[in-house]
Amino acid sequence: MGTRGYYVLRYRNIYFAQYHSYDSYPDGLGVKVLQSMQFLNAIATYRQMLGEILDGLRSLSEIFIERGDDFSPPSWRRPENDIFIEWIYEIDLDRNIFHINGTPFFSLECLPDSGAFIQYISKDHYGNLACASRCPPEHRYKRPAPPTVNNSDLATYQSSMCTGSHVALSDLLAINDFLSPDEHIRVLLLEVMIGQCMVNQTIGKGIYNIELVSDHNQFTDDQWSIACFMANITFVPQIFDKIKNAFHPRLERKEFTWVREDIVVCIATHLDEERCLQASVSRLINAIMEQKDNPGEYFGVAFSVYHCAVVKVVKDVHTMKFSHTSALQFLPSFYAHSPSTPGITALARLGFRIDPALFERVVDICYYVRNKTEKSLARGVDGSNDVPPNITRSPLPLELWKEIALYLDFSDLIPFGLVSKLFREVASMILRYPHICGYRLVADPRGRIIDEPLSLSAATFSAVRAGILATVVVGLQIENKPPTRLITPLDVGGESLWVLFSATSYSPQLKSSLEKYIEIPRSV
């Protein structure tokens, strides 16, 4: 009975909050707030009342729910849950949405009855408070209409040479339709990273609210951070560690983010609407043409969290032509049974393309290793030679050096690559594999996680460290195995995204720990 909560009204982006010191559960305060919006012309009445209050014509004391304290003064700040406030019921008169604890639930224009209201307050497959999937569409909140796209926004798209719209990714990238084993690892790791965002309550709530943004210019800083992280995480060097060993700097908010020398990302909305998709393609083409003078192939990614589209721009001395995919689903449904989506696969495969600057980018984020390396290297050895120093016979072929380098610990790869151009090329080949806390992910998972909620945000990998085989678990804490917490470059509301990680040699003890979560082949 002592459960505290807020009854909140929003109008003109201003919030009015009424504190309730007890009985704030859904069947208490929640039902009362619901019933307050079910009388005839409730939406119009509340808008008029709040409009007059904001215009200075009426008093807040005229809005009242029994046993509630007076409303606090109007505020631009949205009330949030904390250790004292367990339930918040928000009547959003700007978008006609009934929110619960900051998550959109129902349409104010077609609210359920009291019994259904309580039943529909549920949790999604990622553990977030959400409207139950069985709730009929007429009761659910509605997405805002797409932004108006002026003809001028489509000028570049319509005036440039389009060699294909809605092109298959394999055709766009000139790659096989089927994933290679190495690509599959990248896809699986990206699925885990996206799943980890969705199980985080703060970030998950932010993702739900991103769907309500009608134009990319309206993203809050936190919403932009979530979107840019999801779009960018597959393009950063796949080196993830504790913050002391590998540090990916947080991204600065810009209209266009060059995630690689040949790939630019822009945040968008409503990519599933054709004119919005074409407008985003136009923006990306303009960014590429303004930034890149050299002939070659460049790629752009339009990203709305829920969808993504990949654009290819081919420049030569005299002409420019482009092609692009359709809008691909990126974010899994919050009620998904699988973490896989076409958009996740597309960005992971695009990020797997050879990056000539990969070695330098790895050196930049592994600054502790770099400083140690620079002090220990012999003076004058800067990687400028074509072959390793002190070799008098014919150098070994690239393939053999790669086999040798595969046995090196990750901390030795950077010193190895700084010795010569040949060694740098070898190190770059190995650095295309994801590395987590020094473990190189090398194969499909040993087993399949069978606990469905966990399978959406965790996975196991076969891994190697300095030639020693191991099993790596990402996104899940194994019983009796202290996990490592990986830091990621995502901060929302002052809260960073940490990802659990465990690694150990495969053994009967590990098998016993995993069996409750993972289906392990009998032959293992």
Side-chain angles (χ1 to χ4, degrees):
M1 295 293 291
T3 304
R4 290 161 287 195
Y6 280 128
Y7 161 42
V8 177
L9 295 167
R10 166 180 159 155
Y11 187 55
R12 298 180 189 173
N13 292 325
I14 294 176
Y15 296 91
F16 304 79
Q18 184 186 64
Y19 173 74
H20 286 252
S21 58
Y22 64 97
D23 199 19
S24 295
Y25 288 111
D27 58 357
L29 178 60
V31 169
K32 290 180 179 178
V33 174
L34 173 76
Q35 292 172 342
S36 75
M37 296 303 300
Q38 290 180 318
F39 64 85
L40 187 64
N41 297 324
I43 296 175
T45 300
Y46 270 84
R47 283 177 176 166
Q48 179 182 354
M49 183 181 298
L50 294 176
E52 292 177 355
I53 290 171
L54 293 174
D55 294 335
L57 302 178
R58 298 183 70 160
S59 168
L60 276 171
S61 61
E62 297 182 43
I63 307 175
F64 180 74
I65 283 188
E66 185 181 359
R67 292 185 299 184
D69 297 331
D70 290 340
F71 276 85
S72 59
S75 172
W76 294 103
R77 186 180 180 88
R78 187 183 196 185
E80 297 180 353
N81 298 87
D82 56 31
I83 59 174
F84 300 107
I85 303 297
E86 297 181 54
W87 292 96
I88 299 177
Y89 306 96
E90 177 186 325
I91 302 300
D92 181 348
L93 296 164
D94 291 324
R95 296 174 291 193
N96 286 348
I97 296 175
F98 191 123
H99 304 260
I100 301 178
N101 287 0
T103 298
F105 267 71
F106 305 114
S107 167
L108 293 182
E109 297 168 325
C110 187
L111 290 167
D113 60 36
S114 299
F117 170 82
I118 296 170
Q119 292 178 8
Y120 294 151
I121 298 175
S122 182
K123 288 192 175 183
D124 61 33
H125 290 179
Y126 292 83
N128 302 291
L129 184 73
C131 187
S133 59
R134 65 182 181 277
C135 178
E138 60 267 24
H139 292 315
R140 297 180 64 87
Y141 67 93
K142 306 299 186 292
R143 287 180 66 194
T148 300
V149 177
N150 298 320
N151 289 333
S152 59
D153 298 328
L154 306 177
T156 301
Y157 189 99
Q158 296 172 342
S159 63
S160 303
M161 183 186 302
C162 180
T163 58
S165 59
H166 309 283
V167 176
L169 183 78
S170 56
D171 294 333
L172 199 74
L173 302 183
I175 56 178
N176 198 301
D177 286 333
F178 302 100
L179 274 68
S180 69
D182 294 342
E183 286 179 312
H184 181 70
I185 294 172
R186 295 280 291 246
V187 171
L188 191 62
L189 184 59
L190 181 56
E191 290 173 355
V192 171
M193 289 293 189
I194 300 306
Q196 286 291 305
C197 291
M198 297 174 73
V199 299
N200 180 289
Q201 290 188 0
T202 300
I203 299 171
K205 185 185 300 183
I207 294 171
Y208 269 109
N209 281 278
I210 284 174
E211 192 178 22
L212 305 181
V213 178
S214 59
D215 183 84
H216 68 274
N217 292 314
Q218 297 176 3
F219 274 77
T220 65
D221 288 343
D222 283 346
Q223 290 170 340
W224 184 91
S225 295
I226 293 170
C228 206
F229 171 82
M230 289 184 168
N232 180 68
I233 194 64
T234 194
F235 298 111
V236 301
Q238 298 293 280
I239 314 298
F240 301 106
D241 211 321
K242 291 180 290 187
I243 194 168
K244 291 184 177 180
N245 298 321
F247 178 72
H248 296 273
R250 286 180 170 79
L251 297 170
E252 298 179 6
R253 183 165 183 170
K254 301 176 184 177
E255 183 175 5
F256 301 101
T257 302
W258 284 89
V259 294
R260 275 179 38 168
E261 285 295 318
D262 60 347
I263 302 176
V264 62
V265 172
C266 75
I267 305 303
T269 63
H270 294 83
L271 290 175
D272 51 337
E273 298 286 338
E274 188 65 22
R275 284 178 66 86
C276 292
L277 172 62
Q278 292 181 5
S280 294
V281 171
S282 290
R283 292 170 60 205
L284 288 165
I285 294 172
N286 290 335
I288 291 171
M289 297 301 292
E290 292 172 3
Q291 183 80 13
K292 301 297 180 181
D293 295 327
N294 297 329
E297 292 183 351
Y298 300 93
F299 294 89
V301 176
F303 190 82
S304 70
V305 175
Y306 285 86
H307 295 87
C308 68
V310 180
V311 184
K312 180 180 180 179
V313 175
V314 180
K315 293 182 59 176
D316 60 27
V317 177
H318 302 292
T319 63
M320 184 279 293
K321 53 189 178 181
F322 74 95
S323 54
H324 64 88
T325 68
S326 59
L328 306 172
Q329 179 190 351
F330 181 85
L331 193 78
S333 163
F334 275 96
Y335 288 95
H337 295 280
S338 166
S340 302
T341 65
I344 287 178
T345 299
L347 292 200
R349 298 192 81 182
L350 180 61
F352 187 68
R353 293 175 64 253
I354 293 175
D355 179 5
L358 177 60
F359 184 83
E360 288 76 9
R361 296 173 70 202
V362 171
V363 171
D364 285 342
I365 65 170
C366 299
Y367 58 95
Y368 280 92
V369 176
R370 180 187 63 203
N371 292 340
K372 179 180 177 181
T373 299
E374 289 174 348
K375 293 177 181 179
S376 62
L377 283 176
R379 188 173 183 178
V381 178
D382 60 359
S384 61
N385 301 317
D386 290 330
V387 298
N390 302 322
I391 294 180
T392 57
R393 299 180 181 179
S394 298
L396 293 175
L398 180 71
E399 292 75 14
L400 288 180
W401 280 119
K402 179 183 177 182
E403 290 300 316
I404 294 171
L406 285 172
Y407 285 89
L408 294 177
D409 188 83
F410 171 75
S411 62
D412 296 321
L413 273 176
I414 293 177
F416 176 85
L418 290 172
V419 171
S420 71
K421 288 183 178 179
L422 174 64
F423 281 14
R424 184 168 301 189
E425 183 179 356
V426 171
S428 296
M429 295 169 66
I430 299 171
L431 291 171
R432 292 183 75 197
Y433 291 94
H435 287 74
I436 297 183
C437 287
Y439 290 88
R440 185 175 74 253
L441 309 187
V442 297
D444 293 350
R446 284 185 176 273
R448 181 175 62 87
I449 295 181
I450 57 177
D451 185 308
E452 185 172 279
L454 296 176
S455 71
L456 296 172
S457 59
T460 60
F461 299 85
S462 296
V464 176
R465 183 167 187 173
I468 300 174
L469 293 174
T471 293
V472 163
V473 183
V474 182
L476 176 65
Q477 182 172 357
I478 300 301
E479 187 178 2
N480 300 323
K481 176 67 179 178
T484 298
R485 299 175 70 210
L486 306 178
I487 183 66
T488 70
L490 174 57
D491 185 290
V492 177
E495 180 180 336
S496 296
L497 175 65
W498 295 84
V499 178
L500 294 177
F501 160 81
S502 297
T504 187
S505 300
Y506 203 73
S507 65
Q509 291 77 18
L510 174 64
K511 180 177 179 180
S512 176
S513 296
L514 291 176
E515 279 179 341
K516 64 162 59 177
Y517 305 113
I518 300 172
E519 183 178 48
I520 301 175
R522 292 176 181 270
S523 59
V524 174

